[in-house]
Amino acid sequence: MRLVLAVLLVGVGLTAWAQPIAPYRAETLPIPSNQAGDTALLTQRWDDLRDVVFGTDDTMNGLFAFLVDGGVVPEFGASFGAVGGIDAKPFFSGFPELTRGGVIAASAPAAGRIFLFTTSGDGGLLTDLAAARPLTTSSPRSVALADFGDAGAFVFSGSTGNGLQRFLLEPLDGGLRATPTTPIATAAPVVGIAAAPSLHRVYVSAGIQGVLAFDPRDETPAVRPLVDAGVPLDVMAGLAVYPQRDGGALLLAAVPARDLFRIYRLQDDAAFVGEFVVALEDGGRRVRGSDFIDVWPGAFGNGDAGPLFPAGVIVVVDSATSAGANYKLAPWDALASQLGPTLPVDVPPFVDAPPPPPPPPPPTRLPFVSPATTTGREPALTADVALWPPAALTLGAFTRLAVFSTDGGVTASVPAPRGGFFGVDATARPFGPFPGGVIVASSQSPDGGLLMLLVPGGDGGLVALAAPLSVAAARGVALGDFGDAGSWVFFESGSDRLHRARLHLGDGGQPAATVGAELRLPAASLGLVAAPAFGQVLVSTVAGLVAVDVVGDGGLRALDAGSGDAAVSGLAAFPLLDGGLAVLGAVPALDRFRLFAYEGGRLERLVDFEVALPDGGEPLTAGAFVDVTRAPFGQNRDGGASPDSGFPLGVVAFGEALPDGGAAVRLVPFEALAAVAGLLSGDGGTGGGPGGGAGGGPPIVEPPMGCCSGAPASASLMALAFLAWLRRFARGRSSRTLSRLEP
């Protein structure tokens, strides 16, 4: 009897020793709570430092993204809550531009949500792809994404109950709309899900039922058993599919009770190929208790010396390390060579197909200095901002028109006469019948709108020039002096109409306005700015920018706004010496701003940028309004200019809606904007060429009013811009590492 036991023990030992090993050669740091859950891999070939190992914590707060270059994406974590499942796929063939950063699906069981993301082009941050409404379902846990080409793209989800939910994904409003389709019944809860697009099959592990398969193209799919679990110890959990170039696929399954993994060859049925364990190369330190597995069939882990896994990689959960549960990565080819017959080291067509183009370069970040903020907290949903050099700036904040000095003080406040203020524009230059310039503010009410014309009074307040002008429901406004063609105020109603009124002196020398014919726009308007040098007014609409001829037939011409991803609003402009016009706008949907060059009907996108605190903190939330002046700016209430608030070359103002419902105006020196756009020469003055900023090229920015063009730019501001960028780059990395083990 002892001899029989000894032979059995030796046999078992030889069997264990002979079992193929997938040797792990890299591992992540532990999940903080020691509760490592589902995992997924994602790589993008247009960015060598973006190969990501996703990890989850399904009991506490946790969605983690480990970078193979030695860090993590730090913007994940507690806000997601407990995460039940994660899956990641490269771009979807039906909408490659929208998903060029890959698609990530993460489930939040407690919230009943499935989050859909793509990685953006600014350091690995996530962009929410949910459109119309959140993807909600009952207690979602395991998730899987599948791109079936012409048959559609789907997200599948298992829950704590029986059955599988499926959602058809379609592009909508720059995001993805998830439409629920007929659920698929199973006799046991779904633990793992994987899809084989080339076979038009989805596979689920369902406890003692084993692995089931169905065709997602069917309206009511017939679920059939594929692999029988047999006994409880053979119950499979996480699944992954390794696609083959010939159209077939391999199915990888985790068997946590046996601390091993199984491989099946998939065609119409599943043929057992073999089992393997994940351990150190010599068989020591074996992975235990792994419920989850994923595989990437191409090169993964790019670095200076090339990819750490040039022929594919497997990632599994290790629940029993002394330091805490983490994820182990093993090369696919090292495993494939041990199985008989040898498994193919093969990449499917989607891996070496041309990738979608990379996203635009990350927005450049500017510092802002001397922020002038409102002293009250009035609703700011319709706040506009305009500059009145040299002494003050104005902010229309719904119920009043407030005037602020650059030291934050309020110098004047005018209540809205009817309805609420919406738009404001100002010029300190002579404007038609107003030699000292003019301020125009618009208001709206259910029965129409008003335009108020104001000038500064001797006591520092504002004086209305005449009774408010009754017009259509006025929202955004812009002033434009077209010389012999007249001085105009343009206003829009927030719909597809552009209105204009010519300002002049009427009977008794009082200001008057003659309202011209309205003009239909191609889409609802978002902002406008006059371009007198071209005899035009530029209007931003939800469909892009258009130019309207003021002098001539009043025709429309569409411009290529270069936005593509979001609408531009709240326009401002300043002239260029080559005869062109620089046009500045806000992109509220992206919390950034955009600068164009405009000339003769042609619009060229120069740069996207964000506005950050001087210490490099988080960027401000982009409001919908901007303004710019090239005049020296910064005089305070006492008539003096302080070192902290003086802007000798001009200033850019950004309106910001604050979280508490108030409004603020953020000021940036003009030279900081010009430097980012490549409009500065090497001596610090305004000059150079596009994309330059070095070396004395011909000046292309018009000198500021009342100031020589050679005035030096502030070195401290340029240093702040660099520090803001540096701190932002540092925040994109952390001390968490994906440590490498010597092979």
Side-chain angles (χ1 to χ4, degrees), residues 176-484:
L176 290 179
R177 175 177 60 189
T179 303
T181 61
T182 307
I184 300 160
T186 60
V190 171
V191 178
I193 315 171
S198 62
L199 301 176
H200 290 97
R201 291 291 183 273
V202 173
Y203 306 94
V204 300
S205 57
I208 199 67
Q209 283 193 295
V211 178
L212 312 175
F214 63 89
D215 188 337
R217 296 173 297 179
D218 297 338
E219 179 65 25
T220 305
V223 178
R224 63 185 181 88
L226 188 75
V227 178
D228 188 358
V231 298
L233 287 178
D234 287 329
V235 167
M236 284 167 277
L239 303 177
V241 166
Y242 185 102
Q244 307 278 255
R245 185 173 292 276
D246 63 4
L250 299 174
L251 179 69
L252 283 67
V255 187
R258 295 193 183 275
D259 293 331
L260 54 78
F261 306 88
R262 292 194 175 124
I263 302 178
Y264 300 87
R265 194 180 305 277
L266 298 172
Q267 286 293 343
D268 292 334
D269 294 309
F272 178 72
V273 174
E275 298 176 341
F276 67 94
V277 299
V278 178
L280 287 174
E281 196 128 22
D282 60 3
R285 189 56 200 86
R286 177 171 165 175
V287 165
R288 300 190 180 280
S290 182
D291 289 280
F292 303 102
I293 184 171
D294 198 17
V295 61
W296 176 254
F300 192 88
N302 290 316
D304 294 338
L308 179 59
F309 303 100
V313 64
I314 304 167
V315 61
V316 299
V317 179
D318 189 353
S319 299
T321 68
S322 58
N326 70 352
Y327 301 94
K328 302 290 198 297
L329 290 92
W332 171 259
D333 52 343
L335 169 66
S337 62
Q338 299 178 56
L339 294 169
T342 301
L343 295 179
V345 179
D346 197 6
V347 293
F350 77 80
V351 172
D352 56 8
T364 307
R365 194 174 275 188
L366 291 176
F368 69 75
V369 297
S370 301
T373 61
T374 57
T375 55
R377 284 291 182 257
E378 299 189 42
L381 297 177
T382 56
D384 194 4
V385 59
L387 294 162
W388 178 269
L393 56 92
T394 59
L395 174 71
F398 194 65
T399 59
R400 65 171 181 160
L401 177 67
V403 181
F404 300 92
S405 62
T406 52
D407 60 2
V410 178
T411 63
S413 180
V414 179
R418 188 172 77 217
F421 279 120
F422 185 96
V424 62
D425 196 15
T427 177
R429 289 180 170 180
F431 187 83
F434 313 113
V438 67
I439 299 171
V440 61
S442 67
S443 68
Q444 53 184 345
S445 66
D447 58 347
L450 300 172
L451 293 177
M452 289 187 64
L453 300 176
L454 307 105
V455 294
D459 58 356
L462 292 177
V463 176
L465 290 174
L469 306 173
S470 295
V471 293
R475 289 167 60 88
V477 293
L479 293 164
D481 187 353
F482 292 82
D484 294 340

